[in-house]
Amino acid sequence: GDGWLDPSEATHLQGANVQRGLVYSPTNNQLYLVDRNAGTFVRALDGTSGALVGSLNTTGVTGGTFAANMVGVGGDGAIYVANLSTANTSEFKVYRWENVAAAPTVAYNGLTGLVRTGDTFAVMGNGAATRIVASGSGANGIAVLGTADGSNFTLTSANPIAGAAAGAFRLGMDFIDPNTVIGKSSGTTIQTADLVNSTSQTSAVTSASEAPLAYYSPLNLLATVDYTSNLVRLYDATIFANLTLLDTQTTTTGAVVSNGNGVGDLSFGVGPDGALRLYVLNTNNGIQAFRVVDAVPEPTS
């Protein structure tokens, strides 16, 4: 229809501040949405129509301030959901579903040493090459999880990132490559982190309140959503120190519903039609869907 799934159109988008994690799986053209409204759910939505097609089995998904908060997907279609740990003495848990019909398994359950873990979460790769990162409010480190078998994960590092303020990666985070992530807090500075050397660099974005983000490595594209206005911005991030704003869009109408926590999620993926898609969740404001065309500008003379 209009490209926007309004909360009034879907019960699984209702309730205040309870849907924060979203990811698109090109493997089966489905969106996965974490929904904590009156329970713990991981909803599966058709990636083209937005229709609710089912919910994952969440038996045994327990523990943490939120038992489920954020979601990611591997290149093989495996689904990962993280809880929210709000103390360095509280276990961070990651659950894994082999596919939408599977029961969940515990991929990781342990301490990260961060004051909060699971406000932000990202997954890259598949099988034994799968990498998971997570961070949170008040933390200037990033928990990195690795695996030898593609199913069971261990904490490989949670080092403080030099030059990163506390909470620098608390509102948005995604992989650029297996050893580099990009993250955002409030303010007009966006940050990358080198996970090998625990160093970082910064760049400027347009608005202090654009924070939830996604990165598409094949085209060096960065997308953000402004949680106060619903504006979605697309940047060329080929030169990270000098981001180039390509476009600003919104498909929502009417007043913006307050998102005081500044939370949400974005996800790129190539759809079955071969076109690059971008899905945007600005919490309490529904899901926006875009097709990204002419994303890379023509070279100058």
Side-chain angles (χ1 to χ4, degrees), residues 81-105:
V81 170
N83 77 348
L84 175 63
S85 164
T86 56
N88 57 13
T89 55
S90 174
E91 283 79 9
F92 177 58
K93 298 179 74 172
V94 178
Y95 301 89
R96 182 182 185 274
W97 287 258
E98 181 74 20
N99 52 58
V100 292
T105 60

PDB file of all heavy atoms in Angstrom, residues 81-105:
ATOM      1  N   VAL A  81      18.163 -13.927  18.702  1.00  0.00           N
ATOM      2  CA  VAL A  81      17.477 -12.930  19.529  1.00  0.00           C
ATOM      3  C   VAL A  81      18.237 -12.766  20.831  1.00  0.00           C
ATOM      4  O   VAL A  81      18.623 -13.762  21.464  1.00  0.00           O
ATOM      5  CB  VAL A  81      16.016 -13.350  19.807  1.00  0.00           C
ATOM      6  CG1 VAL A  81      15.387 -12.450  20.870  1.00  0.00           C
ATOM      7  CG2 VAL A  81      15.195 -13.290  18.524  1.00  0.00           C
ATOM      8  N   ALA A  82      18.450 -11.511  21.230  1.00  0.00           N
ATOM      9  CA  ALA A  82      19.191 -11.207  22.450  1.00  0.00           C
ATOM     10  C   ALA A  82      18.263 -10.670  23.527  1.00  0.00           C
ATOM     11  O   ALA A  82      17.306  -9.942  23.238  1.00  0.00           O
ATOM     12  CB  ALA A  82      20.285 -10.183  22.156  1.00  0.00           C
ATOM     13  N   ASN A  83      18.580 -11.027  24.778  1.00  0.00           N
ATOM     14  CA  ASN A  83      17.873 -10.398  25.886  1.00  0.00           C
ATOM     15  C   ASN A  83      18.521  -9.059  26.193  1.00  0.00           C
ATOM     16  O   ASN A  83      19.442  -8.611  25.497  1.00  0.00           O
ATOM     17  CB  ASN A  83      17.840 -11.318  27.112  1.00  0.00           C
ATOM     18  CG  ASN A  83      19.167 -11.358  27.875  1.00  0.00           C
ATOM     19  OD1 ASN A  83      20.202 -10.900  27.415  1.00  0.00           O
ATOM     20  ND2 ASN A  83      19.135 -11.941  29.072  1.00  0.00           N
ATOM     21  N   LEU A  84      18.062  -8.377  27.232  1.00  0.00           N
ATOM     22  CA  LEU A  84      18.687  -7.148  27.701  1.00  0.00           C
ATOM     23  C   LEU A  84      19.191  -7.374  29.117  1.00  0.00           C
ATOM     24  O   LEU A  84      18.409  -7.656  30.035  1.00  0.00           O
ATOM     25  CB  LEU A  84      17.693  -5.981  27.684  1.00  0.00           C
ATOM     26  CG  LEU A  84      18.223  -4.664  28.265  1.00  0.00           C
ATOM     27  CD1 LEU A  84      19.408  -4.136  27.453  1.00  0.00           C
ATOM     28  CD2 LEU A  84      17.118  -3.607  28.330  1.00  0.00           C
ATOM     29  N   SER A  85      20.498  -7.269  29.273  1.00  0.00           N
ATOM     30  CA  SER A  85      21.132  -7.365  30.586  1.00  0.00           C
ATOM     31  C   SER A  85      21.477  -5.959  31.045  1.00  0.00           C
ATOM     32  O   SER A  85      22.129  -5.204  30.318  1.00  0.00           O
ATOM     33  CB  SER A  85      22.402  -8.210  30.503  1.00  0.00           C
ATOM     34  OG  SER A  85      23.214  -8.015  31.640  1.00  0.00           O
ATOM     35  N   THR A  86      21.039  -5.576  32.242  1.00  0.00           N
ATOM     36  CA  THR A  86      21.249  -4.216  32.724  1.00  0.00           C
ATOM     37  C   THR A  86      22.217  -4.145  33.909  1.00  0.00           C
ATOM     38  O   THR A  86      22.216  -3.187  34.669  1.00  0.00           O
ATOM     39  CB  THR A  86      19.907  -3.572  33.126  1.00  0.00           C
ATOM     40  OG1 THR A  86      19.259  -4.386  34.103  1.00  0.00           O
ATOM     41  CG2 THR A  86      19.004  -3.415  31.922  1.00  0.00           C
ATOM     42  N   ALA A  87      23.062  -5.161  34.053  1.00  0.00           N
ATOM     43  CA  ALA A  87      24.104  -5.154  35.086  1.00  0.00           C
ATOM     44  C   ALA A  87      25.232  -6.067  34.644  1.00  0.00           C
ATOM     45  O   ALA A  87      25.006  -7.055  33.941  1.00  0.00           O
ATOM     46  CB  ALA A  87      23.550  -5.627  36.431  1.00  0.00           C
ATOM     47  N   ASN A  88      26.454  -5.742  35.081  1.00  0.00           N
ATOM     48  CA  ASN A  88      27.587  -6.588  34.679  1.00  0.00           C
ATOM     49  C   ASN A  88      27.608  -7.922  35.418  1.00  0.00           C
ATOM     50  O   ASN A  88      28.447  -8.771  35.145  1.00  0.00           O
ATOM     51  CB  ASN A  88      28.908  -5.840  34.859  1.00  0.00           C
ATOM     52  CG  ASN A  88      29.126  -5.353  36.283  1.00  0.00           C
ATOM     53  OD1 ASN A  88      28.424  -5.760  37.206  1.00  0.00           O
ATOM     54  ND2 ASN A  88      30.094  -4.470  36.462  1.00  0.00           N
ATOM     55  N   THR A  89      26.658  -8.097  36.354  1.00  0.00           N
ATOM     56  CA  THR A  89      26.522  -9.379  37.057  1.00  0.00           C
ATOM     57  C   THR A  89      25.329 -10.187  36.546  1.00  0.00           C
ATOM     58  O   THR A  89      24.998 -11.231  37.101  1.00  0.00           O
ATOM     59  CB  THR A  89      26.360  -9.142  38.564  1.00  0.00           C
ATOM     60  OG1 THR A  89      25.247  -8.263  38.776  1.00  0.00           O
ATOM     61  CG2 THR A  89      27.615  -8.520  39.153  1.00  0.00           C
ATOM     62  N   SER A  90      24.662  -9.685  35.510  1.00  0.00           N
ATOM     63  CA  SER A  90      23.483 -10.346  34.957  1.00  0.00           C
ATOM     64  C   SER A  90      23.834 -10.961  33.607  1.00  0.00           C
ATOM     65  O   SER A  90      24.456 -10.319  32.753  1.00  0.00           O
ATOM     66  CB  SER A  90      22.347  -9.334  34.788  1.00  0.00           C
ATOM     67  OG  SER A  90      21.243  -9.911  34.133  1.00  0.00           O
ATOM     68  N   GLU A  91      23.436 -12.208  33.395  1.00  0.00           N
ATOM     69  CA  GLU A  91      23.802 -12.922  32.176  1.00  0.00           C
ATOM     70  C   GLU A  91      23.167 -12.301  30.934  1.00  0.00           C
ATOM     71  O   GLU A  91      21.987 -11.947  30.931  1.00  0.00           O
ATOM     72  CB  GLU A  91      23.394 -14.401  32.251  1.00  0.00           C
ATOM     73  CG  GLU A  91      24.294 -15.278  33.103  1.00  0.00           C
ATOM     74  CD  GLU A  91      24.017 -15.141  34.585  1.00  0.00           C
ATOM     75  OE1 GLU A  91      23.002 -14.496  34.937  1.00  0.00           O
ATOM     76  OE2 GLU A  91      24.791 -15.685  35.393  1.00  0.00           O
ATOM     77  N   PHE A  92      23.981 -12.192  29.914  1.00  0.00           N
ATOM     78  CA  PHE A  92      23.508 -11.832  28.580  1.00  0.00           C
ATOM     79  C   PHE A  92      23.213 -13.133  27.856  1.00  0.00           C
ATOM     80  O   PHE A  92      24.032 -14.054  27.849  1.00  0.00           O
ATOM     81  CB  PHE A  92      24.572 -11.029  27.851  1.00  0.00           C
ATOM     82  CG  PHE A  92      24.224 -10.670  26.433  1.00  0.00           C
ATOM     83  CD1 PHE A  92      23.079  -9.940  26.151  1.00  0.00           C
ATOM     84  CD2 PHE A  92      25.041 -11.048  25.381  1.00  0.00           C
ATOM     85  CE1 PHE A  92      22.748  -9.603  24.846  1.00  0.00           C
ATOM     86  CE2 PHE A  92      24.726 -10.717  24.073  1.00  0.00           C
ATOM     87  CZ  PHE A  92      23.576  -9.985  23.811  1.00  0.00           C
ATOM     88  N   LYS A  93      22.026 -13.215  27.256  1.00  0.00           N
ATOM     89  CA  LYS A  93      21.616 -14.458  26.600  1.00  0.00           C
ATOM     90  C   LYS A  93      21.274 -14.196  25.138  1.00  0.00           C
ATOM     91  O   LYS A  93      20.627 -13.188  24.805  1.00  0.00           O
ATOM     92  CB  LYS A  93      20.406 -15.079  27.316  1.00  0.00           C
ATOM     93  CG  LYS A  93      20.680 -15.467  28.760  1.00  0.00           C
ATOM     94  CD  LYS A  93      19.453 -16.048  29.443  1.00  0.00           C
ATOM     95  CE  LYS A  93      19.147 -17.447  28.984  1.00  0.00           C
ATOM     96  NZ  LYS A  93      18.059 -18.071  29.797  1.00  0.00           N
ATOM     97  N   VAL A  94      21.703 -15.099  24.299  1.00  0.00           N
ATOM     98  CA  VAL A  94      21.367 -15.062  22.883  1.00  0.00           C
ATOM     99  C   VAL A  94      20.750 -16.406  22.510  1.00  0.00           C
ATOM    100  O   VAL A  94      21.320 -17.461  22.811  1.00  0.00           O
ATOM    101  CB  VAL A  94      22.604 -14.792  22.002  1.00  0.00           C
ATOM    102  CG1 VAL A  94      22.226 -14.809  20.523  1.00  0.00           C
ATOM    103  CG2 VAL A  94      23.249 -13.457  22.361  1.00  0.00           C
ATOM    104  N   TYR A  95      19.588 -16.353  21.872  1.00  0.00           N
ATOM    105  CA  TYR A  95      18.899 -17.557  21.422  1.00  0.00           C
ATOM    106  C   TYR A  95      19.036 -17.687  19.908  1.00  0.00           C
ATOM    107  O   TYR A  95      19.123 -16.691  19.190  1.00  0.00           O
ATOM    108  CB  TYR A  95      17.412 -17.503  21.805  1.00  0.00           C
ATOM    109  CG  TYR A  95      17.178 -17.376  23.284  1.00  0.00           C
ATOM    110  CD1 TYR A  95      17.103 -16.120  23.895  1.00  0.00           C
ATOM    111  CD2 TYR A  95      17.046 -18.510  24.083  1.00  0.00           C
ATOM    112  CE1 TYR A  95      16.911 -16.004  25.266  1.00  0.00           C
ATOM    113  CE2 TYR A  95      16.842 -18.398  25.453  1.00  0.00           C
ATOM    114  CZ  TYR A  95      16.776 -17.142  26.038  1.00  0.00           C
ATOM    115  OH  TYR A  95      16.586 -17.013  27.390  1.00  0.00           O
ATOM    116  N   ARG A  96      19.018 -18.931  19.435  1.00  0.00           N
ATOM    117  CA  ARG A  96      19.183 -19.201  18.009  1.00  0.00           C
ATOM    118  C   ARG A  96      18.078 -20.122  17.513  1.00  0.00           C
ATOM    119  O   ARG A  96      17.753 -21.121  18.159  1.00  0.00           O
ATOM    120  CB  ARG A  96      20.549 -19.847  17.753  1.00  0.00           C
ATOM    121  CG  ARG A  96      20.864 -20.143  16.293  1.00  0.00           C
ATOM    122  CD  ARG A  96      22.224 -20.834  16.169  1.00  0.00           C
ATOM    123  NE  ARG A  96      22.620 -21.030  14.782  1.00  0.00           N
ATOM    124  CZ  ARG A  96      22.263 -22.075  14.026  1.00  0.00           C
ATOM    125  NH1 ARG A  96      21.500 -23.037  14.563  1.00  0.00           N
ATOM    126  NH2 ARG A  96      22.666 -22.170  12.767  1.00  0.00           N
ATOM    127  N   TRP A  97      17.509 -19.752  16.374  1.00  0.00           N
ATOM    128  CA  TRP A  97      16.558 -20.603  15.667  1.00  0.00           C
ATOM    129  C   TRP A  97      17.187 -20.982  14.336  1.00  0.00           C
ATOM    130  O   TRP A  97      17.572 -20.106  13.550  1.00  0.00           O
ATOM    131  CB  TRP A  97      15.245 -19.869  15.392  1.00  0.00           C
ATOM    132  CG  TRP A  97      14.366 -19.646  16.578  1.00  0.00           C
ATOM    133  CD1 TRP A  97      13.242 -20.339  16.922  1.00  0.00           C
ATOM    134  CD2 TRP A  97      14.500 -18.608  17.581  1.00  0.00           C
ATOM    135  NE1 TRP A  97      12.676 -19.822  18.060  1.00  0.00           N
ATOM    136  CE2 TRP A  97      13.431 -18.750  18.491  1.00  0.00           C
ATOM    137  CE3 TRP A  97      15.422 -17.570  17.788  1.00  0.00           C
ATOM    138  CZ2 TRP A  97      13.264 -17.910  19.582  1.00  0.00           C
ATOM    139  CZ3 TRP A  97      15.262 -16.732  18.875  1.00  0.00           C
ATOM    140  CH2 TRP A  97      14.184 -16.910  19.766  1.00  0.00           C
ATOM    141  N   GLU A  98      17.281 -22.266  14.049  1.00  0.00           N
ATOM    142  CA  GLU A  98      17.839 -22.723  12.777  1.00  0.00           C
ATOM    143  C   GLU A  98      17.003 -22.193  11.612  1.00  0.00           C
ATOM    144  O   GLU A  98      17.534 -21.817  10.555  1.00  0.00           O
ATOM    145  CB  GLU A  98      17.880 -24.243  12.742  1.00  0.00           C
ATOM    146  CG  GLU A  98      18.470 -24.838  11.482  1.00  0.00           C
ATOM    147  CD  GLU A  98      19.983 -24.693  11.425  1.00  0.00           C
ATOM    148  OE1 GLU A  98      20.602 -24.486  12.495  1.00  0.00           O
ATOM    149  OE2 GLU A  98      20.540 -24.788  10.316  1.00  0.00           O
ATOM    150  N   ASN A  99      15.683 -22.132  11.819  1.00  0.00           N
ATOM    151  CA  ASN A  99      14.749 -21.608  10.824  1.00  0.00           C
ATOM    152  C   ASN A  99      13.456 -21.253  11.547  1.00  0.00           C
ATOM    153  O   ASN A  99      13.343 -21.442  12.772  1.00  0.00           O
ATOM    154  CB  ASN A  99      14.503 -22.620   9.698  1.00  0.00           C
ATOM    155  CG  ASN A  99      14.114 -23.989  10.225  1.00  0.00           C
ATOM    156  OD1 ASN A  99      13.119 -24.126  10.950  1.00  0.00           O
ATOM    157  ND2 ASN A  99      14.910 -25.015   9.908  1.00  0.00           N
ATOM    158  N   VAL A 100      12.473 -20.765  10.830  1.00  0.00           N
ATOM    159  CA  VAL A 100      11.247 -20.289  11.480  1.00  0.00           C
ATOM    160  C   VAL A 100      10.453 -21.408  12.138  1.00  0.00           C
ATOM    161  O   VAL A 100       9.658 -21.150  13.047  1.00  0.00           O
ATOM    162  CB  VAL A 100      10.347 -19.543  10.473  1.00  0.00           C
ATOM    163  CG1 VAL A 100      10.991 -18.248  10.036  1.00  0.00           C
ATOM    164  CG2 VAL A 100      10.022 -20.412   9.268  1.00  0.00           C
ATOM    165  N   ALA A 101      10.646 -22.646  11.706  1.00  0.00           N
ATOM    166  CA  ALA A 101       9.886 -23.764  12.266  1.00  0.00           C
ATOM    167  C   ALA A 101      10.585 -24.418  13.453  1.00  0.00           C
ATOM    168  O   ALA A 101      10.006 -25.272  14.118  1.00  0.00           O
ATOM    169  CB  ALA A 101       9.620 -24.810  11.186  1.00  0.00           C
ATOM    170  N   ALA A 102      11.812 -24.020  13.729  1.00  0.00           N
ATOM    171  CA  ALA A 102      12.621 -24.687  14.753  1.00  0.00           C
ATOM    172  C   ALA A 102      12.300 -24.180  16.155  1.00  0.00           C
ATOM    173  O   ALA A 102      11.754 -23.093  16.345  1.00  0.00           O
ATOM    174  CB  ALA A 102      14.102 -24.480  14.458  1.00  0.00           C
ATOM    175  N   ALA A 103      12.662 -24.985  17.141  1.00  0.00           N
ATOM    176  CA  ALA A 103      12.641 -24.544  18.538  1.00  0.00           C
ATOM    177  C   ALA A 103      13.934 -23.783  18.818  1.00  0.00           C
ATOM    178  O   ALA A 103      14.966 -24.023  18.181  1.00  0.00           O
ATOM    179  CB  ALA A 103      12.524 -25.745  19.465  1.00  0.00           C
ATOM    180  N   PRO A 104      13.906 -22.847  19.774  1.00  0.00           N
ATOM    181  CA  PRO A 104      15.126 -22.084  20.053  1.00  0.00           C
ATOM    182  C   PRO A 104      16.142 -22.889  20.844  1.00  0.00           C
ATOM    183  O   PRO A 104      15.793 -23.755  21.653  1.00  0.00           O
ATOM    184  CB  PRO A 104      14.593 -20.910  20.886  1.00  0.00           C
ATOM    185  CG  PRO A 104      13.382 -21.455  21.581  1.00  0.00           C
ATOM    186  CD  PRO A 104      12.763 -22.412  20.600  1.00  0.00           C
ATOM    187  N   THR A 105      17.398 -22.600  20.602  1.00  0.00           N
ATOM    188  CA  THR A 105      18.486 -23.121  21.422  1.00  0.00           C
ATOM    189  C   THR A 105      19.231 -21.939  22.027  1.00  0.00           C
ATOM    190  O   THR A 105      19.153 -20.810  21.512  1.00  0.00           O
ATOM    191  CB  THR A 105      19.469 -23.972  20.593  1.00  0.00           C
ATOM    192  OG1 THR A 105      20.032 -23.158  19.551  1.00  0.00           O
ATOM    193  CG2 THR A 105      18.758 -25.161  19.971  1.00  0.00           C
TER     194      THR A 105
END
